[in-house]
Amino acid sequence: MPRLEEHCWSCSCSHSVKTQELSSAGWIVCKTGEMMSIITAVLRHAYGSLHSLQSANLMRRGLVLFIVGVVLALVLNLLQIQRNVTLFPEEVLDTFFSSAWWIPLCCGTAAAVVGLLYPCLDHHLGEPHKFKREWASVMRCTAVFVGINHASAKLDFANNVQLSLTLAALSLGLWWTFDRSRSGFGLGLTTAFLATLIAQLLVYNGIYQYTSPDFLYVRSWLPCIFFSGGVTVGNIGRQLAMKCVEK
Amino acid sequence: MTVRERLRQNISAAFYRHGLLCASYPVPIILFTSASILTCCYPLLKLPLPGTGPVEFTTGVRDYSVPSHESQGNLSERPDWYRGPPVAYIQQVLVKAAVSPWDNSLVPVDVFRSPLGRVFSLLEEIRNHIYTDRSLEALCLQVTDLLPGLRRMQAVLPEHGCLLVSPGNYWQNRRDLFDADPDLLKTVHQHEPKGLHTSATLKDLLFGVPGKQTGVSLYSKKRVVTYTITIALSSYDARFVASLRARLKLLHPSANCTLREDHMVHVHFKEEIGIAELIPLVTTYIILFAYIYFSTRKIDMVKSKWGLALAAVVTVLSSLLMSVGLCTLFGLTPTLNGGEIFPYLVVVIGLENVLVLTKSVVSTPVDLEVKLRIAQGLSNESWSIMKNMATELCIILIGYFTFVPAIQEFCLFAVVGLVSDFFLQMFFFTTVLSIDIRRMELADLNRRLPAEAGMPPPKPGPLRPRETPPPPRPSPHTITLQAPAFRNLRLPKRLRVVYFLARTRLAQRIIMVGTVIWIGILVYTDPAGLRTFLAAQVSEQSPLGEAGLPPHLGVAPVFPGGDPTSTLSVLPAPEPTPLPENQSQGHRAARPGVAPVSSPQITWGPEDEELWRRLSFRHWPSLFSYYNITLAKRYISILPVIPVTLHLSPQEAIDTRHPQDTHHAPPPSIKTSDLQTDLTLYKVAALGLFAGVVLVLLLFCLYRVLCPRNYGQNGVPHGRRRRGDLPCDEYGYSPPISEISPLLLRGHSMDIECLASDGMLLASCCLAGSACEAESLLGADFREPGGVAMGGPDVDIFPIRRRTNPARPALFGDQPDLTPLIDTNFGSLPPSQTLSSSGFDFGELVEKAYQEHEPSPTLAFPPSPPASQQRRRSLGDQPVLPPELPPQSNGDWDSSVWAMELRGNLIATGRSSGKLEIYQCDLICCSYFLVSISLMKMEIVAARLNGSLDFFTVEINKPLGLLQYRGPPGRGSLPPSPCYSSEDVISCQLTRSVQCAHQKPITVLKAAAGRVVTGSQDHTVRVYRLEDSCCLFTLQGHSGGITAIYIDQTMVLASGGQDGAICVWDVLTGSRVSHVYGHRGDVTSLVCTTSCIISSGLDDLICIWDRSTGIKLYSIQQEVGCGASLGVISESLLVTGGQGCVSFWDLNYGDLLQTVYLGQSSEGQGVRQLLVLDNAAIVCDFGSELSLVYVPSVLEKLD
């Protein structure tokens, strides 16, 4: 699964080289091709190992997490677009659901990766997560995550620093309320770091942009969102994993 | 730490008292809580209802001044949005024009062509109106481009200039275009959207009146055209408007017009929520509902799950309402969008406390009083609840100091919400919970009562008969005695409701009535103009055609204003005034009734005063939105209309005709109008049908939601969850079965083969042949001397004291600690008392046994068998035997025990080697081949494989009176063995022997009520009298070997055979009462209660039959290998064994009540033996262990 993350990486990196010579349409085609190849690779790999029950479980969990990621990305991105936080090129908006098509795909993949990584990490560290393992808590966590996004998009703060600090506190509160595990914290931080980096790269290459960026090219609260998102998805992933184990 | 502890104690005590209070006075507390909720919600009435409808505020025109931006405190009646200037002042000029008198020579187009044509001159007049060098251009609202998306409207709507709209806009305000237009209607309608539309259409915008009232159609009945010229003014100049009004009135005076002109209406529009903005909101709500669902799903072990879930949701919701209400009361008006923050508030407040409370209360001991249970549950969780609440308050307090207004407001709401939620939890939910628990206990009580005493208890729990619900028809093999069976058959409540619905067809009738009422309401409230349309159709006599009827309008024009007087009264038509300047009131009043046909009459009523109210409430926002001006959160001021009346002469109408107009009038056709009516009726019918279908679907969905899908099927979700290998569910929360905890008795090395008990002692033997005796001492009822004596010193502490006798080595091992005890107990308890308190037949035996112990209390028992041999030898009437004993006993342990019986402290076992052994705690008596034995009082009946039946009498004598046992004649395999005791002597005497009781091996033997019943491979059942071993009956009726027999003290005899048949016999007459086939394969065990027969077979199916009629009520599929393990605890409680667990079933309904797991690790060990003790304990084998399960709640709740 980390291979996927690397794929994404290589996508964004290689893209930076290509952008100069490729027109945007051509680039999209190229990007689609890459995406498709990733997906087919994953699918082939998955089909190859489908005979074992565990990998079927893994596939199912991954699929669920992917869908969750896609839906969350669509909804939350819509929120951001409405408030003119993120700006996409106009032709992108007309194509698909008012957000670029690759946003939900990327977010879904990332969600699947993170959500599968969490239980995996728990397993390897040998400390299974036992804190508040129930769907109600997971739902609560998701609601708080959406609420954090909502706040980031809709609340009018005096300045960006205040907003970022508030959101950081909220994210930490989310982690403390629903996770409380070292691995969760670490993985959340890693996710936030990587995702912010990717976002920086994307913005640097002009795929999209943020209004009033204050942290290099992006908004400074972006890491908080990614962190809480990682924790939330990890929560869901753990719950799914536990469900599967119980079965 | 001490402070913390003390605090904790105090809190706990306070909660305890509170719980007592709540459970003691449920009704007053609920009333009080409801009253406080209502009080707190009262301020909410002042809040505007959510929605996007505009809000109005009316001021006078005369003293109007633009409101200042600052809110003025003294003007409390002013809404808070009424600040600053409005977006625009709307001045409407309402024109009513008619061609009068009407002439038969006129064609329908004349109704509106010339009246519409007059709009251009009016427009000219208005545009050129100047009052003290102020023209309209200076005052009006200047608009720029239309929005880019509205290019097709560019030709119609004004751009770069005054926002002045009128019907003339259709023709670019040019008279020549209008005159050249061959088909006015087509021009008007070409901009109309196709299909259903809810917002304002272009026609509405330009005409300024609702489309139906314009009168611009070919078949208008009234022939009056109404339209407005709408002017949007950016600033208000009272004098200019007054002069314009005066000028227009002068030019076109309106007689009998009494419109009020002194009120200005300010309309405030709220923010409109688009679909895109709704998506995140909807997502949040979906997550919220998922949260609520997952939370309330955890409520378990209560009477009504739905009721409690509802109470929980009500608690949360009303706490939110209370918080909003309280905040409003103290002057904090919510500026946040309530719908948006609401889900987050729910999440912050959460349902956790409620669930924790429920869990804690239901896990308190069941045998306590309800009050105490509630109080205990509350006080158990008090600390965590308080801690959570303090934490949440702290977090919110931190949030409050972010000094972001929105967050502060949210926090304020959340604090008030949390506090009110706490209040509601403590008062409302706790009380509801106490009521629920009490109801559950009442239901339990009813269920446990005997059938004749208890009414059918309401039990809404899911029905779980494994195979069939209580059958509407008996199975084919049964004897058909239907009618009384159904009277007795108590269906579950839900099934009864469903049957009731099905019988009375209530649902269909309700749907039908609902549809009729709905259609009626539809017709009479007339939301779609249906009634007026129908009325118009009915009264449609005029020969006017219907061509050009736009399909999407679908409705004929109706009388403006819906004023019936205006249509019914044929008033004298005024004389046509050729020039409006000349017309006067006198003119028109003087000429009544010139025209033979009804001439159009222009009337002004109060409904014309604010004709804009009839427009869509999106009229103004959509007009302004075309120019990218939003009215959201702003307001417009609507000035009183200026009425203009135009009367045109027929000549003028004819002059303005377009050459094509005359071709335009098609012949009238009644048919089309009929068709129209028919079409309407079809529409209504289709609508009704559609509504009915939707209702049915809705009900179906509701039904599916409310009733579980596994209705009448396997209890899949619940059962499987319960049957998981861990006794806790996926939430890590184990159902409170703590009071039913299995107690494991170890001691056997191999699987347990036989179990026997007399309620006090428990004997078991395993495949290895060793017999264990355990003691089950349960409750005060059995505290008789024997029990106490056997129990040892720790009786009072442990409900059971196990005493294992791994028969041979420790045969006497336990004895030494027994002796002193016997002393003390017998010193304190007189024998008479023990007799009276004992409910057993063997009371004498026990007494005797221990009396015999009494003389030698200090005698130390021999610690080993050799010693016992010594003793025997010393007693020595049988010099032959002692050397033989050790090998014999060694051989004994190799043969397995096939049958075992226990009475008092006598254990009789039959071994596969054919020996009958009787132990008195530690006595080996005698042994013979046998299959089945039965121990009755002092008599032992032994059945043998060869079909013979032996009756033994057991006597216990003083040591001196040692009797020797005499073996049965003709059985010379073993010499007669004497029976020895250390002190007393138990002698077994073969009193009688029936040599050929059966032709084939006896398979089963039961004895009760002075009868011995044997079943054999020869397909017969024989009944013997115990006293004289006389065969009373030979019962024939089975077509296979007999495998199971049940007989009890009430002489109920049932037998089951290898053919799967079950026969019920009358023991007194020997006749067969009923005969049913229920199993594929052998019937392995049979139990009867007063109302039903429970049978189990080799097919692992447990069937419950009605005893009187023999109708199968339902059946339960058991797990493989556990088929025979079943027992009846009380009249309505059945216990069955499963893989590593025992399950309790409600006999009356077939509900699975509870499953008790015997061990944490069930490696597929099924419960094969199951024995029900008299004191509601269950003993079952669990591999090599015995498991003792108490069911205290069953019996103790009886009283």
Side-chain angles (χ1 to χ4, degrees):
Chain A
M1 280 304 150
R3 206 161 52 84
L4 269 187
E5 192 78 31
E6 284 168 20
H7 261 285
C8 289
W9 259 95
S10 64
C11 284
S12 44
C13 293
S14 59
H15 147 72
S16 65
V17 186
K18 289 174 196 162
T19 319
Q20 276 77 18
E21 61 258 32
L22 281 178
S23 71
S24 76
W27 178 76
I28 283 176
V29 169
C30 158
K31 185 94 180 176
T32 319
E34 280 187 29
M35 267 297 167
M36 287 300 167
S37 69
I38 293 172
I39 290 170
T40 48
V42 170
L43 283 182
R44 205 181 305 126
H45 175 73
Y47 270 116
S49 56
L50 198 62
H51 58 271
S52 80
L53 186 70
Q54 182 145 18
S55 63
N57 253 340
L58 210 64
M59 274 298 292
R60 201 162 47 213
R61 275 157 49 196
L63 198 67
V64 170
L65 285 167
F66 181 79
I67 290 169
V68 167
V70 166
V71 169
L72 278 182
L74 279 175
V75 168
L76 299 180
N77 207 33
L78 197 63
L79 210 60
Q80 309 265 334
I81 290 168
Q82 275 166 17
R83 303 291 291 189
N84 283 334
V85 178
T86 51
L87 295 178
F88 286 92
E90 192 159 332
E91 63 268 20
V92 172
L93 290 186
D94 290 339
T95 52
F96 186 67
F97 269 136
S98 80
S99 64
W101 60 269
W102 47 268
I103 286 274
L105 280 189
C106 282
C107 289
T109 318
V113 171
V114 172
L116 292 176
L117 264 183
Y118 262 82
C120 180
L121 200 66
D122 283 343
H123 182 70
H124 280 293
L125 288 183
E127 38 189 35
H129 193 252
K130 288 289 175 199
F131 181 68
K132 286 195 187 173
R133 287 287 64 168
E134 50 195 7
W135 276 111
S137 162
V138 171
M139 281 300 146
R140 217 178 171 191
C141 179
T142 317
V144 171
F145 173 60
V146 174
I148 288 177
N149 272 276
H150 211 128
S152 78
K154 285 221 164 174
L155 290 190
D156 298 319
F157 282 84
N159 51 22
N160 263 332
V161 179
Q162 202 181 12
L163 174 63
S164 308
L165 284 182
T166 312
L167 288 185
L170 277 178
S171 312
L172 279 182
L174 181 89
W175 171 77
W176 178 251
T177 320
F178 299 107
D179 193 322
R180 288 197 202 176
S181 68
R182 285 181 297 125
S183 60
F185 191 75
L187 207 53
L189 276 188
T190 320
T191 313
F193 178 73
L194 287 179
T196 314
L197 205 62
I198 291 171
Q200 294 275 17
L201 287 172
L202 286 178
V203 176
Y204 178 76
N205 292 309
I207 311 295
Y208 70 109
Q209 63 188 43
Y210 281 87
T211 52
S212 64
D214 60 341
F215 176 57
L216 296 178
Y217 297 97
V218 298
R219 301 289 284 264
S220 52
W221 43 256
L222 206 59
C224 308
I225 297 284
F226 282 132
F227 176 78
S228 49
V231 171
T232 306
V233 170
N235 225 333
I236 300 175
R238 280 168 168 168
Q239 189 67 38
L240 284 173
M242 209 180 78
K243 191 93 178 174
C244 289
V245 166
E246 264 194 8
K247 274 177 194 166
Chain B
M1 203 61 192
T2 51
V3 175
R4 186 188 145 113
E5 287 297 320
R6 213 179 308 142
L7 189 66
R8 192 171 173 162
Q9 273 180 7
N10 283 342
I11 288 175
S12 179
F15 271 70
Y16 192 86
R17 281 195 295 273
H18 176 77
L20 278 183
L21 174 77
C22 280
S24 309
Y25 306 103
V27 175
I29 284 180
I30 283 195
L31 285 181
F32 162 71
T33 323
S34 313
S36 48
I37 290 174
L38 289 181
T39 317
C40 290
C41 292
Y42 174 71
L44 288 178
L45 291 181
K46 290 180 197 163
L47 285 182
L49 283 174
T52 51
V55 186
E56 289 173 14
F57 178 61
T58 307
T59 54
V61 171
R62 274 179 221 292
D63 51 350
Y64 173 75
S65 62
V66 175
S68 60
H69 279 281
E70 293 79 31
S71 61
Q72 290 125 325
N74 54 346
L75 296 168
S76 56
E77 73 275 9
R78 282 190 176 186
D80 50 356
W81 48 262
Y82 186 58
R83 287 174 201 164
V87 178
Y89 299 90
I90 304 291
Q91 176 66 63
Q92 282 192 309
V93 180
L94 178 59
V95 182
K96 289 195 177 189
V99 175
S100 80
W102 188 251
D103 201 324
N104 273 339
S105 64
L106 295 175
V107 292
V109 187
D110 291 331
V111 170
F112 52 86
R113 180 173 271 275
S114 56
L116 277 182
R118 297 296 287 271
V119 73
F120 301 102
S121 60
L122 272 173
L123 278 173
E124 201 68 15
E125 186 67 43
I126 291 168
R127 278 184 193 280
N128 297 335
H129 184 78
I130 292 173
Y131 176 78
T132 57
D133 70 349
R134 280 190 175 217
S135 69
L136 189 70
E137 284 293 321
L139 289 173
C140 74
L141 184 74
Q142 301 285 338
V143 291
T144 55
D145 283 332
L146 282 167
L147 277 183
L150 297 166
R151 308 213 187 275
R152 64 186 179 86
M153 291 213 183
Q154 242 170 355
V156 181
L157 287 175
E159 274 188 303
H160 303 289
C162 275
L163 181 56
L164 177 90
V165 289
S166 69
N169 283 77
Y170 279 119
W171 300 275
Q172 282 90 44
N173 292 331
R174 285 163 62 187
R175 177 81 197 214
D176 51 337
L177 285 180
F178 176 79
D179 286 338
D181 191 356
D183 192 345
L184 297 182
L185 280 178
K186 193 178 161 196
T187 312
V188 170
H189 289 307
Q190 71 184 357
H191 291 287
E192 295 298 287
K194 301 289 179 288
L196 207 67
H197 55 272
T198 53
S199 62
T201 64
L202 189 65
K203 188 181 175 188
D204 288 345
L205 287 181
L206 295 188
F207 278 84
V209 288
K212 287 171 233 162
Q213 297 191 13
T214 55
V216 181
S217 69
L218 289 172
Y219 39 93
S220 164
K221 185 91 172 98
K222 207 185 161 197
R223 304 190 186 107
V224 173
V225 174
T226 311
Y227 56 88
T228 62
I229 299 169
T230 306
I231 312 159
L233 302 171
S234 62
S235 59
Y236 179 63
D237 187 335
R239 286 169 301 174
F240 177 81
V241 172
S243 82
L244 180 68
R245 178 184 300 271
R247 171 72 181 163
L248 287 176
K249 278 192 168 179
L250 182 71
L251 287 176
H252 311 284
S254 306
N256 64 30
C257 173
T258 55
L259 298 188
R260 291 165 59 185
E261 297 173 353
D262 52 346
H263 278 104
M264 188 191 278
V265 183
H266 310 279
V267 183
H268 177 253
F269 295 94
K270 291 184 181 165
E271 196 170 13
E272 286 209 33
I273 299 174
I275 300 286
E277 290 191 33
L278 278 180
I279 289 177
L281 201 64
V282 167
T283 316
T284 340
Y285 272 92
I286 288 174
I287 294 175
L288 173 72
F289 283 125
Y291 168 63
I292 290 179
Y293 168 72
F294 282 121
S295 299
T296 51
R297 210 176 67 164
K298 290 189 293 186
I299 296 179
D300 213 344
M301 294 295 297
V302 290
K303 170 79 178 151
S304 156
K305 215 174 157 169
W306 285 96
L308 270 194
L310 189 71
V313 174
V314 162
T315 306
V316 170
L317 291 191
S318 46
S319 70
L320 283 180
L321 287 182
M322 277 172 80
S323 73
V324 178
L326 286 176
C327 286
T328 319
L329 188 67
F330 293 113
L332 289 159
T333 46
T335 57
L336 291 173
N337 188 342
E340 277 182 24
I341 63 165
F342 177 75
Y344 304 122
L345 268 179
V346 172
V347 166
V348 163
I349 290 175
L351 288 164
E352 264 70 23
N353 271 353
V354 168
L355 302 176
V356 162
L357 270 184
T358 315
K359 211 169 17 177
S360 155
V361 169
V362 297
S363 50
T364 48
V366 188
D367 45 346
L368 284 181
E369 207 183 335
V370 176
K371 261 191 247 178
L372 297 180
R373 285 185 71 185
I374 296 282
Q376 252 184 31
L378 268 183
S379 73
N380 281 347
E381 287 300 331
S382 60
W383 183 243
S384 74
I385 287 178
M386 289 309 282
K387 218 166 54 179
N388 275 340
M389 174 136 169
T391 321
E392 278 173 349
L393 283 181
C394 274
I395 290 173
I396 288 170
L397 207 64
I398 293 170
Y400 191 77
F401 285 109
T402 51
F403 295 111
V404 181
I407 291 188
Q408 277 183 332
E409 195 175 328
F410 180 82
C411 290
L412 213 59
F413 276 118
V415 166
V416 183
L418 267 181
V419 173
S420 51
D421 183 53
F422 180 72
F423 164 75
L424 283 182
Q425 274 166 12
M426 285 304 109
F427 283 92
F428 178 70
F429 188 76
T430 313
T431 319
V432 170
L433 192 64
S434 79
I435 291 175
D436 187 270
I437 298 276
R438 184 165 295 139
R439 275 181 61 208
M440 183 164 81
E441 301 208 334
L442 281 180
D444 273 352
L445 187 62
N446 281 344
R447 211 174 329 139
R448 305 301 170 227
L449 285 180
E452 54 268 23
M455 54 285 201
K459 174 70 176 74
L463 180 75
R464 250 178 284 275
R466 288 297 185 79
E467 209 176 55
T468 51
R473 279 188 53 80
S475 61
H477 294 297
T478 54
I479 295 164
T480 49
L481 284 175
Q482 295 186 4
F486 283 112
R487 213 170 303 130
N488 297 335
L489 194 61
R490 274 176 278 166
L491 297 171
K493 203 175 189 180
R494 193 171 53 224
L495 257 195
R496 268 182 290 168
V497 169
V498 170
Y499 283 164
F500 174 75
L501 285 183
R503 200 167 55 237
T504 56
R505 306 196 183 285
L506 208 58
Q508 289 96 317
R509 285 180 192 176
I510 286 175
I511 290 170
M512 261 164 52
V513 170
T515 316
V516 166
I517 290 175
W518 184 69
I519 291 176
I521 289 173
L522 203 70
V523 168
Y524 278 96
T525 57
D526 191 26
L530 204 64
R531 181 172 55 121
T532 47
F533 170 59
L534 287 176
Q537 289 298 329
V538 168
S539 63
E540 180 75 70
Q541 306 280 333
S542 99
L544 296 175
E546 296 204 359
L549 175 71
H552 63 275
L553 271 180
V555 175
V558 291
F559 330 109
D563 186 359
T565 57
S566 67
T567 51
L568 295 177
S569 61
V570 181
L571 287 178
E575 188 196 35
T577 46
L579 287 172
E581 287 85 359
N582 292 349
Q583 80 182 37
S584 70
Q585 196 172 357
H587 259 288
R588 284 184 288 159
R591 303 272 185 88
V594 173
V597 288
S598 64
S599 283
Q601 180 71 29
I602 295 176
T603 54
W604 293 92
E607 73 274 2
D608 294 323
E609 209 170 284
E610 289 174 335
L611 202 60
W612 55 269
R613 282 187 196 279
R614 295 171 177 264
L615 295 168
S616 156
F617 69 89
R618 291 215 187 85
H619 183 87
W620 303 115
S622 58
L623 176 62
F624 283 92
S625 70
Y626 290 158
Y627 300 97
N628 204 7
I629 302 171
T630 176
L631 290 185
K633 295 185 176 175
R634 296 161 83 182
Y635 75 100
I636 56 171
S637 301
I638 296 175
L639 303 174
V641 295
I642 303 174
V644 168
T645 312
L646 295 174
H647 286 274
L648 297 103
S649 68
Q651 187 56 45
E652 194 181 353
I654 291 168
D655 289 345
T656 53
R657 256 187 213 170
H658 192 269
Q660 285 191 4
D661 281 352
T662 45
H663 309 305
H664 202 274
S669 98
I670 303 299
K671 240 184 169 177
T672 48
S673 101
D674 278 351
L675 192 72
Q676 191 74 23
T677 318
D678 285 345
L679 210 65
T680 319
L681 285 180
Y682 287 143
K683 269 184 206 163
V684 171
L687 220 57
L689 198 69
F690 176 72
V693 168
V694 166
L695 264 175
V696 168
L697 283 180
L698 200 73
L699 279 178
F700 181 71
C701 291
L702 266 179
Y703 176 78
R704 289 307 290 253
V705 166
L706 288 179
C707 299
R709 210 156 298 143
N710 53 346
Y711 187 71
Q713 297 289 319
N714 297 338
V716 175
H718 210 65
R720 188 162 293 169
R721 187 157 63 84
R722 285 283 187 83
R723 286 192 182 267
D725 50 358
L726 281 175
C728 64
D729 57 9
E730 65 221 61
Y731 312 114
Y733 161 58
S734 55
I737 52 167
S738 50
E739 77 274 13
I740 302 186
S741 55
L743 191 67
L744 287 183
L745 311 175
R746 293 188 182 81
H748 285 293
S749 55
M750 292 179 72
D751 279 6
I752 288 168
E753 188 72 15
C754 291
L755 268 180
S757 165
D758 63 351
M760 202 165 48
L761 290 174
L762 183 63
S764 67
C765 53
C766 68
L767 283 176
S770 65
C772 273
E773 184 191 359
E775 183 182 350
S776 54
L777 233 200
L778 312 154
D781 290 350
F782 297 102
R783 198 153 294 203
E784 59 177 272
V788 176
M790 301 292 278
D794 40 1
V795 162
D796 296 329
I797 301 154
F798 303 107
I800 178 153
R801 159 131 166 82
R802 183 175 71 94
R803 211 179 53 135
T804 323
N805 293 337
R808 193 173 52 154
L811 204 55
F812 305 104
D814 266 0
Q815 297 296 344
D817 65 69
L818 197 65
T819 19
L821 239 138
I822 294 165
D823 257 346
T824 51
N825 279 313
F826 273 83
S828 61
L829 287 170
S832 62
Q833 189 188 339
T834 69
L835 270 176
S836 61
S837 69
S838 145
F840 296 97
D841 308 332
F842 48 86
E844 304 160 337
L845 171 69
V846 173
E847 190 191 2
K848 206 194 272 176
Y850 281 101
Q851 274 172 352
E852 283 156 10
H853 276 285
E854 212 168 8
S856 58
T858 50
L859 185 68
F861 287 97
S864 64
S868 101
Q869 280 173 26
Q870 292 254 323
R871 188 162 297 277
R872 278 184 206 131
R873 199 169 286 152
S874 70
L875 292 169
D877 288 350
Q878 300 285 326
V880 192
L881 277 169
E884 198 186 333
L885 198 62
Q888 180 203 341
S889 62
N890 275 340
D892 266 336
W893 308 126
D894 298 332
S895 61
S896 60
V897 177
W898 277 15
M900 184 162 70
E901 273 288 312
L902 176 67
R903 277 290 150 92
N905 55 353
L906 280 189
I907 305 167
T909 59
R911 290 185 176 274
S912 61
S913 61
K915 290 174 187 159
L916 169 70
E917 295 171 349
I918 298 178
Y919 304 82
Q920 190 215 2
C921 297
D922 45 18
L923 277 185
I924 303 173
C925 249
C926 48
S927 52
Y928 273 100
F929 300 145
L930 26 95
V931 173
S932 185
I933 53 173
S934 189
L935 199 59
M936 299 262 319
K937 282 192 181 172
M938 295 318 300
E939 297 196 67
I940 298 174
V941 187
R944 295 178 191 280
L945 266 183
N946 60 3
S948 64
L949 206 58
D950 294 338
F951 292 79
F952 298 96
T953 309
V954 179
E955 287 176 21
I956 302 171
N957 291 325
K958 298 271 183 185
L960 294 176
L962 176 69
L963 289 183
Q964 78 174 34
Y965 165 71
R966 192 167 53 84
R971 197 156 314 287
S973 63
L974 273 176
S977 356
C979 29
Y980 286 106
S981 162
S982 47
E983 295 307 319
D984 55 343
V985 172
I986 295 179
S987 66
C988 254
Q989 184 132 25
L990 179 71
T991 49
R992 287 168 298 275
S993 180
V994 182
Q995 281 303 326
C996 273
H998 285 277
Q999 305 301 320
K1000 284 187 177 174
I1002 296 176
T1003 48
V1004 61
L1005 178 144
K1006 291 274 157 112
R1011 297 285 184 276
V1012 175
V1013 186
T1014 58
S1016 159
Q1017 288 282 354
D1018 60 2
H1019 303 188
T1020 60
V1021 177
R1022 287 189 183 220
V1023 182
Y1024 293 88
R1025 199 153 54 205
L1026 192 59
E1027 302 98 64
D1028 52 359
S1029 15
C1030 164
C1031 180
L1032 297 177
F1033 304 109
T1034 300
L1035 308 174
Q1036 288 175 333
H1038 282 282
S1039 53
I1042 310 298
T1043 50
I1045 281 178
Y1046 174 85
I1047 185 168
D1048 61 11
Q1049 295 296 327
T1050 56
M1051 292 270 204
V1052 177
L1053 174 60
S1055 63
Q1058 283 173 335
D1059 51 353
I1062 297 161
C1063 293
V1064 182
W1065 311 88
D1066 185 349
V1067 181
L1068 295 177
T1069 62
S1071 62
R1072 189 166 70 184
V1073 177
S1074 60
H1075 180 212
V1076 291
Y1077 288 94
H1079 294 279
R1080 289 188 302 274
D1082 299 6
V1083 175
T1084 50
S1085 74
L1086 266 176
V1087 178
C1088 292
T1089 67
T1090 52
S1091 60
C1092 53
I1093 303 167
I1094 302 132
S1095 68
S1096 70
L1098 271 187
D1099 51 356
D1100 294 322
L1101 205 64
I1102 291 182
C1103 295
I1104 287 86
W1105 312 82
D1106 189 275
R1107 183 162 135 185
S1108 53
T1109 60
I1111 292 172
K1112 181 154 100 172
L1113 298 180
Y1114 50 90
S1115 59
I1116 302 165
Q1117 178 67 52
Q1118 281 287 91
E1119 286 169 36
V1120 177
C1122 306
S1125 55
L1126 67 100
V1128 174
I1129 295 179
S1130 70
E1131 196 50 45
S1132 59
L1133 195 62
L1134 171 73
V1135 57
T1136 63
Q1139 291 290 342
C1141 60
V1142 287
S1143 303
F1144 296 88
W1145 304 82
D1146 186 341
L1147 259 185
N1148 295 327
Y1149 302 108
D1151 289 348
L1152 176 61
L1153 295 177
Q1154 200 162 14
T1155 301
V1156 177
Y1157 289 86
L1158 300 178
Q1160 292 295 323
S1161 60
S1162 66
E1163 50 272 12
Q1165 283 178 332
V1167 174
R1168 286 180 198 82
Q1169 307 272 332
L1170 198 146
L1171 198 66
V1172 176
L1173 307 187
D1174 289 352
N1175 42 6
I1178 299 148
V1179 188
C1180 50
D1181 72 322
F1182 183 56
S1184 62
E1185 294 164 353
L1186 274 183
S1187 188
L1188 194 64
V1189 182
Y1190 294 101
V1191 201
S1193 61
V1194 176
L1195 292 184
E1196 285 167 24
K1197 288 280 168 181
L1198 258 174
D1199 37 28

